Structures are given as structure tokens and as C-alpha cells.
Amino acid sequence: MNTSSDDAKFEDAGEAALRLKALDVDDLTVMSALVQDAVFPASEITWDASRRRFAALLNRFRWEDKDNAILRGRPVERVQSVLSVSDVLKVQSQGVPKGDSDTILSLLSLSFIPGEDGMGRLELVLAGDGAIALEVETLDVTLQDVTRPYIAPSHKSPSHPE
């Protein structure tokens, strides 16, 4: 499925790796739906201040394949994806244990609060009232799958009301 350049940029056909770029709030809303319920250890977060780049390796459900999974009578697959944010000026966390890289974080959503001169605050909202806030010069977020899809050993996937 390909979308116009004004929408989220998908290159996803069947088992093909998802590559998505969010440059505005509408794109970010699509991306947020795809990373809902993703989990990741705190050790898989990187912040390179000199390159102004933040990244996290997520273990996410392939929500874009949910209908196909249901049709085939199988759980929603998982895939590892890199969430990367460019033009990051500052990173702050709230409710994230410091110094415990084994802590598993659960991502609920992504949100953007615009500021002045195109700048703003991108928030990774976490379960348990936690958040990672990124002060960004521009909204430039990429989500890219880096592994083939697989079914979680538990064979479970979250259920959400329609």
C-alpha cells in the first residue's frame, strides 16, 4: 500500500518490512496506532546528543496485519522495529526507573505538543504513568521494521475495543 507524499509513507506489502516517516501530527497519529502496546527494555534506548538523534528498539505488534491474522485464525504477529527521532534538542523521562536497564517499558502512544517556531515536544507515553519527552526542533520520526514478523511464544495479543 502506498500513500501520497502528504500522508504517512508506507512501503508495506504482505511480509515486507514497514517503513514509515512522520513529518506532521497526522502522520504521527498513524504511527502511534502502530506502536501501541510495543514493549522494549530501557537498555534499548539510545540518545546521541552530538547527532541530535534518539532511537529505541521496539518489540511491536503488527497492527497493520490484524485483519489478516484474524482471518487466518492466528494471533497478531510481532516484529522488532526501530523508532528514530531526528533534531532532538533535549530528552527527559518521568516514571522511568533510573539505572535499571533491564526495566521493560510498555509504549501506549506517541503525541506531539507544538511549540514556537516549529519546535515542539514529542512524548512517548508509557504504561504506569511514565513518559519520555523529547524537545525537538522539527517533527521528524521514523519507524522501520528490522526483523521478520513472528508469533510471540505466548500466542497472545492485546485486545482493544473497536
Side-chain angles (χ1 to χ4, degrees):
M1 171 167 105
N2 290 315
T3 62
S4 73
S5 61
D6 294 332
D7 294 330
K9 290 25 165 218
F10 279 93
E11 293 179 23
D12 183 27
E15 296 282 326
L18 175 80
R19 287 178 285 180
L20 180 66
K21 188 160 188 85
L23 298 174
D24 61 31
V25 174
D26 291 336
D27 292 347
L28 191 67
T29 300
V30 171
M31 189 179 290
S32 180
L34 294 173
V35 298
Q36 182 179 10
D37 300 313
V39 293
F40 57 105
S43 61
E44 294 296 342
I45 297 171
T46 59
W47 158 233
D48 184 342
S50 65
R51 293 178 63 201
R52 297 179 7 168
R53 184 170 214 74
F54 173 91
L57 180 63
L58 309 176
N59 184 349
R60 73 174 187 86
F61 286 99
R62 292 185 68 232
W63 293 121
E64 69 276 17
D65 189 49
K66 177 183 175 191
D67 292 340
N68 187 34
I70 291 169
L71 256 168
R72 294 181 181 201
R74 62 170 170 73
V76 177
E77 294 173 318
R78 284 189 172 271
V79 66
Q80 285 191 323
S81 304
V82 174
L83 179 73
S84 178
V85 184
S86 298
D87 298 326
V88 179
L89 304 172
K90 184 178 179 181
V91 177
Q92 296 176 304
S93 65
Q94 168 188 324
V96 177
K98 304 280 188 222
D100 185 2
S101 63
D102 292 333
T103 298
I104 301 296
L105 305 172
S106 180
L107 185 56
L108 299 178
S109 66
L110 304 172
S111 64
F112 183 71
I113 302 160
E116 295 178 18
D117 300 326
M119 298 174 68
R121 180 180 174 103
L122 175 67
E123 289 189 357
L124 285 73
V125 180
L126 306 171
D129 295 325
I132 300 172
L134 312 175
E135 287 184 28
V136 295
E137 189 170 34
T138 60
L139 185 59
D140 185 352
V141 185
T142 303
L143 179 69
Q144 182 167 355
D145 292 349
V146 293
T147 65
R148 294 191 61 76
Y150 62 93
I151 295 176
S154 69
H155 292 324
K156 294 181 180 178
S157 57
S159 61
H160 297 279
E162 295 292 326

